[in-house]
Amino acid sequence: MATASTPCIFFQQGRYPRSQVLCKFNLEGICKHGTKCPYRHEPSDSSSASSSSTKVSPLHDNDTFVRVFRGALVRYGDGACITSLSLPSEYSSVRLDGLPADTVVSDIVTILENLGHDVDVDGLRIVTTPQSSLCSAYISTPDLDFSKTLSSSLIDSPYCHMKAVPVPPRLPSWASTRRARCNKLNVRWAKPCSECRVFFSTKAAALRVSGKFNFGKYTIFDTRIGCDEPREIVRASITADYDTPLLVGIRQGVASGNAIIAAINKLLRDVGPIDLITEPYEHKRGYLTVSAQFKQDCDAQKAARMIEKKSYDLPYDINLTAKLIYTSTFKTSKEVYRHVQQPLEDCLEEFDAPRINVTSRETGTVLSIDSWSSEEVAKCANAVEDILAGSVIEGKDGQPFWAPQLASNGPASKLLKEIQQRHGVLLLPNRSKREVRYFGDTLKRLEVQDDVVQSLTEDAERRHTIDIDDPGFSWLCKVGLNLIKNVVGDKVVSLNVTSNPKKLIITGSDEEYCEILALLEIGNISFPVKEAISEESCSICLTPADDPVVLGCSHAYCADCFKGLCRNGTAQADVNITCTGAEDKCKNAIPLREIQAHTDSSTFEQLLESSFSTYISRRPDQFHYCPTPDCGYIYRPANNSASSLWHMCTKCLQRICRSCHANHDGQRCEDYRAHQAFEAYKHENRSNVKDCPKCHTTVEKIDGCNHIVCGGCKIHLCWVCLQTFDESPRCYAHMREAHGSIGIDDEDEDEGDEDIG
């Protein structure tokens, strides 16, 4: 391709394409380039619409200093201090459809203000569709009811042609998109059938047979049947001759299947809003099941407790059972899923895991795991999350490998693509965390890692960068760049105009590097060298700086001293790394970009995580760690404005009470505490307190013999071995035969006297 003979005139005239893009740092008020910034700045005194747009936080994907720790989305500012911390469960996200294709951020803010909504949203992005006159806006805000209120406010407004669609909260593309729900409920009941009435000669015989059905001794088609008076039995199922009935009468069912289904649907909808109820599914043994998907998790859990406690009222005499279904979902790119599909299958075959449902969408691939066991779903989801995250390419020192040239889409990025095509794997550089993630066959990982480290290290050794001041940059644009390219070639030299200061990048041999240095002398280019600042004193050890680090405030540090300053930034207060220059009088918070530039990735990430841990530990009234062992996710305790007293942890899927911070499965806190106190009393007095083996009623033996009558089911118990008997004489006979006595010294005591617990 021919090289232009003159510098880009559009760049010289300020009409470089980047000048049409809003500077995200200016939106935050932290852009240091001012009028020299190549990106567009909104004037601070412009129209109200323009000024309103500065209230919009930058997009998560473009924000370098956003991290996800313990399930929380954390945003950092200068000094590594935390500027905001939020939980995905606290957010409501909406996709606003029907916007004109030329809509900008300020237009969205104006629309929201006109509809009476808070415009200080957490995130906002506009998505356009090619060859369409409309676009959509994604809006996230910490108002859980935002999607409902926005939809209502659109009605009878000038924006009634727009539509608000609830969507999952948006996280950074490199963060886990794991979500957990418990809003599905499977309800089961026996299929309506004919009714059997069985007649016996005596009431005792009828009760005896009824009890045998109820306790599972008699079954029909291997299915346990419950009898009340008794009912739902047939002659062939009664195997004992002395239980044979005199007559078996059959009466048709009192309600049709459709009527029962309608009654169950109404019962569930009365609990809370439902998105979907499936058609009944018939099992082989005459049972029917419907699956209801509630809008809110709490409504599904409320319905499950109601059915479990039999506290529902149906016009028909049917017995309902219910199971909650736990769901974990993940969203990933189609490219990532294609490379981890086989590792996923191999991993899940190692343990009895639920089936993973895969849904392909335009925006990516969604994986979902469903099961009635929260422990099973959590175990499977943890394995899936690890695989979807990929593995980190490590350098020769065992630390995450990173090459500075990967920070831009240059030759190094092309080299990385060549490596992944050569091995048939996927390599994704994470510029925010300065690491490269590997996706693909685990057997190839070490081979690919060696290839990446060797190739990019050699590439780095061929690269030289020279800082260019403003006069030198002007000379390069006018004459110098073309002069250098004519000597060493187009592919050897390039300019990085977005850095501060601007840099001349040389990718070539040492001979070519020396040639370029000679050419720069022709233009009288001056560029800083390390020797020029080596005599600066370190602001910590007060000796000449070794491998000096010079901050924007002009204070210098030894490289090791600066790393120590960052590592020791955690104290009793929130982390805030400040400059100690000018005899500790500077006190300026060190910009995070400078901290990242002068520390290795491991030190920088440890600093951010330490800042997070300190922030959480200093706010026990605002955050709690999940009490489930080895979980560690955080949640907010209950307060007066809490919409729910229950929190379901995204990782372990356990339901935690936000008031007493225990998992007591729907019980009230006072009932749970009373139960815990009672269990502690039982443990302390376990020799005198036992549970009935039949009905599990707790029985306490104060004195008397070892014959006990349960206060719940009235069964006769041997206190020593808890064997049960229908009559007291048999119990006394057992105690003498098996244990040698009835448990008191005077064995001649009247056996008719019974100790009742």
Side-chain angles (χ1 to χ4, degrees):
M1 182 180 292
T3 305
S5 59
T6 58
C8 175
I9 60 173
F10 299 105
F11 182 86
Q12 290 180 320
Q13 296 173 3
R15 291 192 284 128
Y16 192 69
R18 284 176 298 175
S19 65
Q20 305 304 315
V21 180
L22 275 175
C23 173
K24 69 187 185 71
F25 302 117
N26 181 60
L27 292 177
E28 295 181 89
I30 60 173
C31 182
K32 298 180 178 180
H33 300 300
T35 57
K36 297 181 180 180
C37 181
Y39 296 93
R40 180 163 63 93
H41 284 197
E42 290 280 7
S44 59
D45 56 350
S46 59
S47 63
S48 60
S50 297
S51 62
S52 297
S53 67
T54 61
K55 299 179 181 179
V56 181
S57 300
L59 301 183
H60 291 166
D61 284 342
N62 294 332
D63 191 336
T64 306
F65 304 117
V66 174
R67 295 291 185 270
V68 175
F69 290 125
R70 305 292 185 177
L73 192 68
V74 189
R75 191 185 300 276
Y76 293 88
D78 290 345
C81 64
I82 293 179
T83 57
S84 68
L85 188 152
S86 54
L87 302 175
S89 59
E90 300 172 340
Y91 279 78
S92 175
S93 293
V94 176
R95 188 186 72 237
L96 188 61
D97 297 333
L99 296 163
D102 58 351
T103 301
V104 295
V105 168
S106 58
D107 298 331
I108 303 299
V109 175
T110 301
I111 291 173
L112 294 175
E113 288 180 339
N114 292 340
L115 292 172
H117 296 285
D118 185 3
V119 297
D120 188 16
V121 294
D122 178 74
L124 190 153
R125 63 187 176 109
I126 298 174
V127 177
T128 59
T129 303
Q131 299 178 349
S132 175
S133 60
L134 299 176
C135 68
S136 299
Y138 287 81
I139 309 166
S140 295
T141 174
D143 179 6
L144 285 174
D145 296 324
F146 178 67
S147 59
K148 298 178 182 178
T149 56
L150 180 59
S151 297
S152 301
S153 61
L154 289 174
I155 302 173
D156 298 329
S157 76
Y159 312 105
C160 59
H161 61 283
M162 299 179 185
K163 183 179 180 181
V165 181
V167 295
R170 185 167 182 254
L171 293 177
S173 58
W174 45 264
S176 169
T177 56
R178 179 173 177 172
R179 289 174 57 81
R181 296 296 305 271
C182 186
N183 63 333
K184 296 179 182 177
L185 184 70
N186 284 353
V187 181
R188 180 180 176 183
W189 71 96
K191 183 180 179 181
C193 60
S194 299
E195 181 182 274
C196 294
R197 290 184 177 272
V198 185
F199 299 90
F200 294 85
S201 58
T202 64
K203 180 178 181 181
L207 291 175
R208 183 175 64 250
V209 174
S210 173
K212 291 180 179 180
F213 272 104
N214 285 331
F215 290 112
K217 186 173 183 179
Y218 291 158
T219 61
I220 298 178
F221 300 120
D222 297 326
T223 301
R224 185 170 172 173
I225 300 298
C227 293
D228 291 336
E229 295 184 348
R231 61 175 184 168
E232 295 186 13
I233 59 177
V234 295
R235 189 187 301 270
S237 299
I238 304 174
T239 56
D241 294 338
Y242 52 81
D243 288 339
T244 302
L246 298 175
L247 176 67
V248 176
I250 298 177
R251 188 179 69 174
Q252 296 298 319
V254 296
S256 68
N258 291 336
I260 293 177
I261 293 170
I264 293 174
N265 285 355
K266 182 179 184 304
L267 174 70
L268 297 176
R269 293 186 184 278
D270 287 344
V271 175
I274 292 178
D275 286 329
L276 174 68
I277 295 184
T278 63
E279 292 294 326
Y281 169 77
E282 184 173 349
H283 300 268
K284 293 181 180 179
R285 299 190 180 279
Y287 284 93
L288 296 174
T289 298
V290 297
S291 180
Q293 183 172 312
F294 288 80
K295 287 185 177 295
Q296 301 293 331
D297 292 12
C298 57
D299 290 335
Q301 294 153 11
K302 179 180 177 182
R305 290 194 299 271
M306 177 185 69
I307 293 175
E308 180 184 359
K309 295 179 179 180
K310 309 298 181 185
S311 58
Y312 55 84
D313 184 19
L314 287 175
Y316 310 110
D317 188 14
I318 57 175
N319 182 36
L320 300 180
T321 59
K323 278 189 176 181
L324 283 167
I325 304 299
Y326 295 87
T327 304
S328 275
T329 59
F330 299 85
K331 183 178 179 181
T332 187
S333 69
K334 294 181 180 180
E335 190 176 19
V336 168
Y337 176 69
R338 181 168 62 86
H339 284 85
V340 302
Q341 184 175 1
Q342 189 59 49
L344 272 175
E345 294 175 358
D346 295 341
C347 174
L348 298 180
E349 283 180 359
E350 296 178 1
F351 56 91
D352 186 17
R355 185 172 64 90
I356 296 181
N357 303 307
V358 181
T359 304
S360 181
R361 299 177 179 172
E362 292 183 1
T363 56
T365 300
V366 178
L367 310 178
S368 62
I369 309 165
D370 294 337
S371 176
W372 59 269
S373 170
S374 60
E375 292 81 5
E376 193 175 60
V377 173
K379 180 181 178 181
C380 182
N382 291 338
V384 171
E385 185 175 45
D386 290 341
I387 295 174
L388 291 179
S391 56
V392 178
I393 295 293
E394 296 179 350
K396 296 178 181 179
D397 57 355
Q399 297 297 320
F401 175 78
W402 180 250
Q405 58 267 37
L406 288 173
S408 60
N409 292 321
S413 296
K414 295 180 180 178
L415 181 60
L416 202 64
K417 292 180 180 179
E418 292 174 0
I419 295 173
Q420 66 183 21
Q421 290 174 0
R422 185 161 58 245
H423 295 279
V425 299
L426 178 63
L427 297 170
L428 295 181
N430 186 332
R431 290 167 182 148
S432 170
K433 302 183 74 172
R434 296 187 296 180
E435 63 186 20
V436 179
R437 289 273 172 175
Y438 171 87
F439 302 86
D441 187 351
T442 55
L443 299 178
K444 293 183 178 180
R445 181 182 173 277
L446 293 179
E447 179 185 355
V448 174
Q449 178 172 284
D450 292 341
D451 197 353
V452 170
V453 173
Q454 181 177 354
S455 299
L456 291 179
T457 301
E458 292 176 354
D459 180 69
E461 291 173 352
R462 294 194 303 266
R463 291 169 59 91
H464 305 272
T465 59
I466 299 176
D467 293 341
I468 303 298
D469 57 13
D470 290 341
F473 178 70
S474 177
W475 177 81
L476 284 171
C477 289
K478 294 177 181 178
V479 179
L481 193 57
N482 285 329
L483 176 62
I484 294 172
K485 286 183 177 181
N486 289 333
V487 174
V488 298
D490 295 344
K491 296 182 179 180
V492 175
V493 65
S494 61
L495 272 175
N496 184 350
V497 298
T498 60
S499 63
N500 186 22
K502 299 175 179 63
K503 297 180 184 295
L504 183 67
I505 301 174
I506 304 166
T507 307
S509 64
D510 291 339
E511 292 77 10
E512 291 171 324
Y513 175 60
C514 293
E515 284 186 276
I516 293 173
L517 291 182
L519 293 172
L520 292 178
E521 292 180 1
I522 297 175
N524 294 320
I525 303 299
S526 61
F527 47 90
V529 293
K530 291 184 178 180
E531 289 76 8
I533 57 173
S534 60
E535 296 181 359
E536 291 286 339
S537 295
C538 173
S539 299
I540 293 178
C541 66
L542 304 179
T543 61
D546 182 21
D547 192 11
V549 170
V550 180
L551 303 181
C553 56
S554 74
H555 296 119
Y557 295 83
C558 297
D560 290 339
C561 290
F562 185 76
K563 291 180 181 179
L565 175 67
C566 297
R567 291 194 186 100
N568 299 326
T570 54
Q572 298 300 320
D574 289 342
V575 171
N576 186 15
I577 309 299
T578 58
C579 179
T580 60
E583 298 180 352
D584 205 19
K585 295 178 182 178
C586 179
K587 297 297 185 183
N588 288 331
I590 303 175
L592 262 182
R593 289 179 182 84
E594 293 193 34
I595 296 177
Q596 187 182 44
H598 298 299
T599 57
D600 57 85
S601 59
S602 178
T603 300
F604 184 71
E605 295 301 324
Q606 288 175 6
L607 171 62
L608 298 185
E609 189 163 4
S610 296
S611 178
F612 166 79
S613 299
T614 302
Y615 186 90
I616 296 298
S617 64
R618 286 176 45 79
R619 292 164 175 80
D621 56 331
Q622 298 181 33
F623 301 100
H624 267 260
Y625 286 100
C626 177
T628 304
D630 301 323
C631 178
Y633 269 37
I634 64 170
Y635 66 96
R636 292 188 189 272
N639 52 41
N640 295 332
S641 60
S643 58
S644 173
L645 289 176
W646 292 97
H647 164 75
M648 190 177 78
C649 180
T650 306
K651 184 176 183 181
C652 67
L653 276 74
Q654 296 300 305
R655 297 181 64 228
I656 310 300
C657 175
R658 298 172 64 194
S659 179
C660 69
H661 311 295
N663 181 2
H664 48 75
D665 195 24
Q667 284 182 299
R668 294 185 304 172
C669 293
E670 52 269 27
D671 294 340
Y672 172 73
R673 287 192 291 266
H675 175 73
Q676 291 296 98
F678 182 60
E679 289 297 320
Y681 176 80
K682 286 171 59 178
H683 180 73
E684 293 172 359
N685 300 275
R686 51 187 175 277
S687 61
N688 296 323
V689 180
K690 299 180 181 180
D691 290 341
C692 171
K694 180 180 178 182
C695 67
H696 305 291
T697 298
T698 300
V699 179
E700 183 175 12
K701 180 178 181 294
I702 301 175
D703 55 20
C705 71
N706 288 331
H707 168 233
I708 300 293
V709 178
C710 173
C713 62
K714 306 303 181 184
I715 198 74
H716 297 264
L717 303 173
C718 169
W719 187 254
V720 179
C721 62
L722 292 182
Q723 188 170 337
T724 61
F725 304 90
D726 294 333
E727 300 173 348
S728 61
R730 294 179 59 192
C731 181
Y732 280 108
H734 160 78
M735 289 189 294
R736 290 191 175 94
E737 180 180 351
H739 308 298
S741 72
I742 63 174
I744 56 176
D745 294 336
D746 187 4
E747 296 188 7
D748 295 330
E749 184 176 334
D750 185 4
E751 296 179 0
D753 295 338
E754 299 175 348
D755 298 322
I756 300 178

